[in-house]
Each structure stands twice: as structure tokens, then as C-alpha cells.
Amino acid sequence: PPLAIICGGETTMTLPPNPGFGGRNQALALSAMKALAGVQKVALLSGGTDGGDGPKHDAAGAVITGSDFDFATQNGLDYAKALATADSYTFFKEFENARFGAKNVMHMRDGPTGTNVMDLIIMLAV
């Protein structure tokens, strides 16, 4: 049967000495990409209700599916490096270009919302 898991709160992450771009929600989605690899008909969204996720970029989070990790590795995208260097924003930017030939597919971009309730993590399985 279909399943939705909805979580709220704010995760934390330890940054390397010279971090790349991307915040905790994009990092969570990137981590989940490997954990959900090969799982059919599943998607996960992790995003900030304030419309931002880390400095100096336009994303509030990211969306992944169970087929994304395999696509990334088969197309030469360096998942491990992006995770180690806290550069999830760049990874998702390259990913959406390679897979979809477009932007604003993997990143959640809603702009500043004027509120900061919490981060939301939503996983759907059908």
C-alpha cells in the first residue's frame, strides 16, 4: 500500500574545512540517495520552510528518487566527493543537467517565505 512519512525539525551536519555549496537539507537528500538506491517507486524531499538551505545559492532543499544513485554513478557524478566536501548543491545542479537537461528539477526553489517553522522531510512510496 502507498506510504507517506512526514518528519519535521532541523538536522545538523559537520562541515569540512573548506565546504562547497549546499545546506543540511540538500546534504540529507544526498545521503538518502545512496540509502534508497534501487528502491522502486520511492521519493524523498528535504527542504526548509524558510525558503533557504545554506548560504550563497537559491535552493531550499532537494528531491531524490530510488533510481537516482545508480544514474549518478553510471554517469560519472562523484557522489562521495560531494558528500565529503559538503557540496550537495553543485552535485544536484550537475545531476539535474545530466538527467533532465534542465534546472529546477532536483532542487527545491521557492524563495524566501518570511517564516521559519522547521525543515520538512517527506518520503513517499507507492
Side-chain angles (χ1 to χ4, degrees):
L3 172 71
I5 299 172
I6 303 171
C7 303
E10 292 194 358
T11 62
T12 60
M13 59 186 286
T14 302
L15 295 175
N18 296 302
F21 296 103
R24 63 184 176 265
N25 286 295
Q26 293 166 81
L28 188 149
L30 187 60
S31 295
M33 183 184 280
K34 185 172 184 181
L36 295 175
V39 178
Q40 300 295 312
K41 299 181 181 180
V42 65
L44 179 133
L45 173 145
S46 182
T49 59
D50 62 355
D53 183 41
K56 301 179 185 174
H57 60 78
D58 58 355
V63 178
I64 61 98
T65 70
S67 64
D68 291 339
F69 183 77
D70 290 341
F71 179 89
T73 55
Q74 291 167 3
N75 286 274
L77 298 173
D78 197 340
Y79 165 89
K81 180 181 177 189
L83 204 54
T85 59
D87 199 17
S88 53
Y89 179 85
T90 303
F91 178 89
F92 283 121
K93 187 176 177 182
E94 292 170 355
F95 183 97
E96 61 191 7
N97 186 51
R99 186 156 197 174
F100 303 104
K103 70 177 211 173
N104 203 24
V105 178
M106 305 298 290
H107 281 119
M108 186 176 112
R109 294 183 176 100
D110 57 354
T113 63
T115 185
N116 187 13
V117 177
M118 69 180 111
D119 294 342
L120 288 174
I121 300 96
I122 302 171
M123 186 171 76
L124 300 174
V126 293

